[in-house]
Amino acid sequence: MTDGKKGPVLKVEDVAIAYKVRGGEIEAVQNVSFEIQRGEAHGIVGESGCGKSTLAWAILDFLGANGYVKRGSIKFLGQELVGRSSEELRRLRGDQLAMVYQDPMQALNPSMRLGDQMKEVLTVHRGLSDKEAEKRCISMLERVYMPDAANVMKRFPHQISGGQQQRVVIAMALLNNPALLIMDEPTTALDVTVEAAVLDLIAELRRDFDTAIMFISHNLGVVARVCNMVGVMYAGEMIERASVKEIFKNPQHPYTQGLIRCVPRLGSDKASSMLYPIRGRVPPPNNRPAGCIFGPRCDYFRERCHNERPRLRPLPNGAEVRCHFAEEIDPRQWQPSEEIVPATNGRQPQDSSEVIISVEHLKKYYPVSGSGLRDMLGMGEKKYVKAVEDASFSIAKGKTLGIVGESGCGKSTLIKTIIGLEDSTDGQAQFLGFDITDDLASRNEQLIQELQMVFQNPDSTMNPSYTVGQQIARPMLRFGTVPKNKVRQEVIRLLELMRLGANYYDRLPRQLSGGEKQRVGIARALASRPDLVLCDEPVSALDVSVQAAVLNLLLEVQREFNTTMIFIAHDLSVVRFFSDYVAVMYLGQIMEIGPAEAIYALPYHPYTEALLSAVPIPDPTAKQKHIRLEGNVPSAVNPPSGCRFHTRCPRRALLPDGGAVCAQAIPPWRDAGNGHRIFCHIPIETLLTFEPVIETAADR
């Protein structure tokens, strides 16, 4: 085999990937070429359906029975992979060529202990003894910052968190020091703090192991942090390839420029900035245009684009682009079409001081049943998961409160308690004069009508047997918001507001894309004309273009109907853009709350500071402080005394007693002015001495 150090680790040349279907075949990927050198992280970005994962499956020969590489060459360390036998490829996979999946449970056997699964990689490919393999596995788990690595080896996959599962998969992929590591959306489901640790780890792999990495993602901020080369895919083709700095500073292809316009920048807000989704959608493989594949969605479309397919060609700046007119296009002169600008753009929301919801000292505890005899007889000490502890806030009509924090911090429990999916343990919550801490069965129809929710996963809330129109019409009929003879007309009006149209009325959920399902979920939540809408991670799994469209849609709805919203998301850039106020939660408690612009500027709570330092920024030139929290979030069954954050706080040593008070006393609320409050023992004067977490080129 050729020495990989004398050439690219992976070289893909004019590859086309096809799937056999009834009546013929479909080319999912066409004419893709790129190469990855040792120690290089090459990002592959694009919307869903662009062929990113299909390309990865082709390299590993995981295309399935009906998929195959139709033409072209895939060389790994100089050796051709196309046409190799299954046994030869099996020896490569897991040894010199490894993959980390988006969902770690796809790679982990739920019926085997983690240690046995990891050791198998070494005993099969390296012939190590069981004892040597175990020692190597523990060492690698520690290398990926797995706490209590030896005990993790004895556990089953379901006994560790999602972030820990992902670290196990990464450790397993690295055990044999592979020459190429393929990572398919490895951080999508992770908290921002765990994601930051994983991205740090990827950077260390490149440096310490000289590993070549193929990193697939739709998150441009993640790509900006970890990659030095980027390939942009669209509808099965590579349409631009350049260094990460060139891609973000000087994107050449109209599609790449469109992707970057979809992403909210940290610090931008809904009053001063706008997101511009790319109109239309990715064409299916069996219905692609004859000329430029991006032509129907391009703002610079000309006659030549209709007739002639562009080729991927080099530009003077070193980039490669598949566009006839790349040199003539100046993205600074771009103007949005009416199709993607919300009808209410520029309309200011109504200013109101009327408080629509007020929450005071709200608590939600879940009883925990023990397994011992004393517990079974009811003699043991009662234990509780303290999911929400002493939450207090109020929201004015027409405003949005964003809630951020790590998984398990109580965000979803808080809004489920407000909407009535969970009953509260203690505290007060008033909505439109109603006490919403009472039992759900006691709520009247008016209260149910005025409180609606948009869920993270629309598939789990839509009935697959009912049409879109029937599902949106149901709340209207239930609450009588419109006369029966006008229900269809009102449903169509909502569909058009969602940018879907009357032709979606009779479609079933399976006929919709992910973004379209989410829009239907929003339409159904608005069908009863509620005063308060609770949004639980409504854009976390969407492509950047669809995410921009959904965020614009929610803003349009808010401006049109003066709707109040509570918005949960793990992307701090999205929360900053969308929200008027932000609450930062940790282990059931609100640690900081105030106007959105105040939360993202000094003074910070130490936990907020750590979250901001972890958020991926779609700007490779931005300078970001490196603050990583030690350990995991403590158990909500037995939370730390005093300040719940003190066990992980990197700033407690600033106090005169070295932070001893943090472990002993509940912190006071510090008033930073203008409604901005911080739950911390450290005085505001000291918090103001911190350096800004993020510094962009505009700040310097």
Side-chain angles (χ1 to χ4, degrees), residues 4 45 133 215 379 521 574 581 611 631:
V45 301
F215 193 95
M379 299 167 60
V574 169
Y581 302 93
L611 291 180

Side-chain angles (χ1 to χ4, degrees), residues 362 364-365 384-391 403-411 413-414 584-591 605 607 611 629 632-648 679:
L362 191 68
K364 175 59 187 174
Y365 294 175
Y384 298 91
V385 173
K386 298 175 181 178
V388 176
E389 183 75 66
D390 203 33
I403 304 178
V404 298
E406 295 169 284
S407 294
C409 73
K411 305 185 300 293
T413 302
L414 175 60
V584 181
M585 289 191 71
Y586 179 79
L587 203 60
Q589 287 187 326
I590 293 176
M591 292 291 173
H605 187 284
Y607 180 56
L611 291 180
L629 299 178
N632 297 313
V633 179
S635 170
V637 176
N638 186 27
S641 59
C643 175
R644 292 191 172 186
F645 184 58
H646 83 263
T647 58
R648 303 173 74 198
F679 192 56

Side-chain angles (χ1 to χ4, degrees), residues 1 32 40 67 98 107 274 293 348 353 368-369 468 575 577:
M1 185 174 285
V32 170
E40 180 179 277
M274 183 74 194
I293 214 160
Q348 294 301 314
S353 58
V368 178
S369 301
V468 165
V575 172
F577 172 80

